[in-house]
Amino acid sequence: MAILLKNGSIAAENGVREADLLLQDEKIVQIGAGLKPGLDTEVIDCAGKYILPGIIDAHVHFHMPCGPSERTIDDFYSGSVAAACGGVTTVIDYVEPENDQGPLEAVAARKKEADGAICIDYGLHYVVNRWEEKLFESWEQVIDSGLASFKVFTTYDSSRLPYEDVAKLLAWSKKRGVLVTVHAEEDDIIQAAKKELTREGHLQPAYHGKSRPVESEAAAVKKIIALAGETGSRVYFVHISTCEAAQLIGQAQKEGKQILGETCPHYLVLGDEVYAGADPQWYIMCPPLREKEKQPFLWSALKEGVFSVVASDHCAFSKEQKGRSRTFFETLSGIPGVETLLPVMYAYGVAPGQITMTRLVELLSTNPARLFGLYPQKGVIRTGSDGDIVVFDPQKEVELSYHRLHSKAGYSPFKDMHVKGCPEITVLRGKVIYRGEQFCGAKGYGKFVPGRI
Ligand code: URP
Ligand code: ZN
Ligand code: ZN
């Protein structure tokens, strides 16, 4: 069955234009004015609606192990249902090898968890959590198997890679062309802040923000930019939360360095006052939320191109999981967000004129596709590309409370927000997977999409 989307405004990388769009055999097959349906074609009237390329959330953690017996609450099925209902047709998750696991074995294990469960397409980033030269050959094979980006952490006991190893990885990545993504928080600053808070007896979740101060992000970003400068490597910083780090990234870009940045909706719209509220544990994520007063600077960085991508960092835990510990040290870190990524960015970005619709499409679809090797199969409305489409209603008002959302977290950090504008239909490779506020896709329909360098 083909699908003909008529009378919509196609918002793509090169602007917004009125045209019809025909999807057939998983692909976009025709774009133009006055297209006529053939036999066996469903016609969808999109008058007054935007047609966007499917959203690519480049940073999610579905079914992520955290310690020996804990996982994030959204597995590949529930996480991808939530994604589909938010207009997301592709997610990029992580492979984080266990100590005794070889790289290819870890990739295969992660794919096994996703395949058969996930209902949207997915890619994977590979986490380098130890440096051993004997792993080079396997890393080559990891890249050849379709993982176009590696990730390192400068914090977290279980995953932190020392800076000297990050430097070696950056040098290797330059030769191999793989993009290195970095979680940048300076661990020494965090440890010192934690020590001080412990001394003061301030261990409650309300103190989470204070345990990971602004300087910790800025210091790590500064060090990594310096290392990247030495080797001329490309670096992509994930989940940037502070103006200070954004400024450093912008400055490096002006100097011609290949430094890229990602931020998340929560840093753009939620402020650190929630840590003084009733449920601070619900807002524990790393890095933490920052002062609301500084958000205009992050929005400017978004407009000016300092950030190339906005991603959700969906890392959902249930209220029960979040509430289990009385200290910020032990509270599981991460929040849900894959389903709210597009509506929040439309309502707070496009509707008030902070960014254009074209910029939104770049940030949420085209740029992640390009940077992670999925373009032009994904991230663009073009004949021959996958039929991944969102029909977006800019007028429909919704409340972003957990009752409407599909994550198993059972709460939404965006709970008090009533937004105007939300996905009405999501199409993945020519099949409608969300319509009329109902998920209508199929478990296991999602496929691994290799990222190509
Ligand atoms: O707190 C967060 N962001 N949890 C997810 C893991 C990470 O650091 O991205
Ligand atoms: Zn991170
Ligand atoms: Zn993350």
Side-chain angles (χ1 to χ4, degrees):
M1 153 96 85
I3 296 179
L4 179 58
L5 300 161
K6 285 202 69 78
N7 313 315
S9 301
I10 298 181
E13 50 178 351
N14 44 5
V16 180
R17 65 181 175 128
E18 313 292 306
D20 301 340
L21 192 63
L22 183 66
L23 313 178
Q24 197 166 20
D25 300 330
E26 302 204 350
K27 298 285 179 192
I28 297 170
V29 293
Q30 221 182 337
I31 306 170
L35 300 185
K36 300 269 178 295
L39 290 174
D40 202 22
T41 301
E42 182 192 2
V43 180
I44 300 177
D45 182 16
C46 300
K49 315 278 160 65
Y50 286 114
I51 297 177
L52 320 178
I55 302 306
I56 299 173
D57 190 342
H59 187 161
V60 302
H61 305 272
F62 294 160
H63 207 225
M64 179 182 86
C66 346
S69 55
E70 198 80 72
R71 296 251 181 179
T72 50
I73 191 83
D74 282 320
D75 57 18
F76 282 95
Y77 178 66
S78 67
S80 63
V81 169
C85 299
V88 175
T89 50
T90 305
V91 286
I92 314 185
D93 205 304
Y94 294 87
V95 177
E96 192 157 0
E98 307 279 338
N99 282 340
D100 56 348
Q101 243 178 352
L104 283 172
E105 191 192 347
V107 173
R110 200 73 177 129
K111 283 188 180 165
K112 200 168 160 199
E113 287 178 343
D115 293 337
I118 193 160
C119 13
I120 60 168
D121 286 353
Y122 75 101
L124 293 167
H125 308 282
Y126 182 80
V127 175
V128 176
N129 49 14
R130 63 183 195 269
W131 177 265
E132 286 175 62
E133 282 178 18
K134 68 170 195 251
L135 293 174
F136 285 2
E137 205 182 311
S138 310
W139 288 352
E140 295 277 357
Q141 291 165 346
V142 164
I143 296 169
D144 293 342
S145 75
L147 279 71
S149 45
F150 283 11
K151 177 170 187 187
V152 295
F153 293 85
T154 63
T155 185
Y156 296 152
D157 291 345
S158 57
S159 338
R160 187 166 63 86
L161 196 68
Y163 284 106
E164 59 268 27
D165 292 340
V166 177
K168 288 188 258 175
L169 179 68
L170 288 175
W172 185 83
S173 75
K174 169 125 171 103
K175 282 187 243 143
R176 198 51 186 80
V178 70
L179 178 61
V180 176
T181 73
V182 182
H183 172 135
E185 288 184 290
E186 179 64 47
D187 206 52
D188 290 349
I189 296 179
I190 293 168
Q191 294 314 329
K194 279 187 175 173
K195 209 164 155 191
E196 184 62 14
L197 289 164
T198 307
R199 204 182 51 74
E200 295 165 352
H202 290 155
L203 298 176
Q204 302 85 331
Y207 290 93
H208 172 66
K210 294 208 165 22
S211 74
R212 307 182 92 90
V214 166
E215 308 84 70
S216 62
E217 184 173 76
V221 164
K222 197 168 179 177
K223 278 193 187 166
I224 297 286
I225 289 176
L227 295 178
E230 283 165 24
T231 46
S233 314
R234 275 195 320 154
V235 167
Y236 171 106
F237 289 103
V238 297
H239 54 41
I240 290 297
S241 64
T242 63
C243 309
E244 289 74 0
Q247 227 151 9
L248 291 165
I249 294 169
Q251 183 55 37
Q253 290 167 346
K254 283 196 192 117
E255 291 164 12
K257 296 183 178 138
Q258 297 189 70
I259 306 295
L260 301 151
E262 165 201 288
T263 190
C264 310
H266 41 278
Y267 301 123
L268 293 162
V269 306
L270 300 176
D272 62 0
E273 70 284 351
V274 295
Y275 296 125
D279 295 298
Q281 69 282 4
W282 292 0
Y283 302 90
I284 288 191
M285 84 288 284
C286 300
L289 298 173
R290 309 294 183 183
E291 284 173 80
K292 237 186 158 64
E293 293 68 42
K294 299 273 184 74
Q295 281 168 354
F297 185 90
L298 285 186
W299 280 103
S300 301
L302 206 61
K303 270 184 261 189
E304 289 158 14
V306 171
F307 295 118
S308 306
V309 173
V310 179
S312 72
D313 193 9
H314 183 97
C315 183
F317 295 101
S318 67
K319 286 200 279 190
E320 186 276 317
Q321 285 175 302
K322 282 285 208 187
R324 231 181 264 159
S325 170
R326 295 287 114 216
T327 71
F328 67 77
F329 280 87
E330 288 154 352
T331 301
L332 291 162
S333 173
I335 59 167
V338 70
E339 189 171 355
T340 45
L341 171 65
L342 172 60
V344 168
M345 289 308 295
Y346 180 82
Y348 287 81
V350 179
Q354 296 268 26
I355 52 171
T356 63
M357 198 65 192
T358 309
R359 181 81 183 121
L360 181 83
V361 168
E362 268 174 12
L363 290 163
L364 299 188
S365 185
T366 314
N367 287 350
R370 282 189 200 278
L371 290 170
F372 298 112
L374 310 177
Y375 186 91
Q377 181 184 351
K378 307 279 188 195
V380 60
I381 294 188
R382 183 189 285 183
T383 51
S385 294
D386 281 359
D388 298 353
I389 298 295
V390 187
V391 179
F392 187 85
D393 184 347
Q395 297 303 331
K396 186 162 174 181
E397 293 183 27
V398 288
E399 190 190 336
L400 301 179
S401 74
Y402 80 90
H403 303 283
R404 272 201 77 255
L405 300 172
H406 297 79
S407 165
K408 283 158 72 180
Y411 79 97
S412 165
F414 304 100
K415 65 184 164 55
D416 297 324
M417 292 181 183
H418 291 255
V419 297
K420 196 166 166 188
C422 66
E424 184 176 277
I425 298 175
T426 307
V427 184
L428 172 64
R429 282 183 281 107
K431 283 218 170 3
V432 174
I433 59 170
Y434 171 76
R435 177 176 2 212
E437 304 202 2
Q438 294 295 323
F439 172 71
C440 51
K443 195 169 186 174
Y445 179 62
K447 280 191 198 157
F448 175 71
V449 196
R452 297 290 174 214
I453 292 175

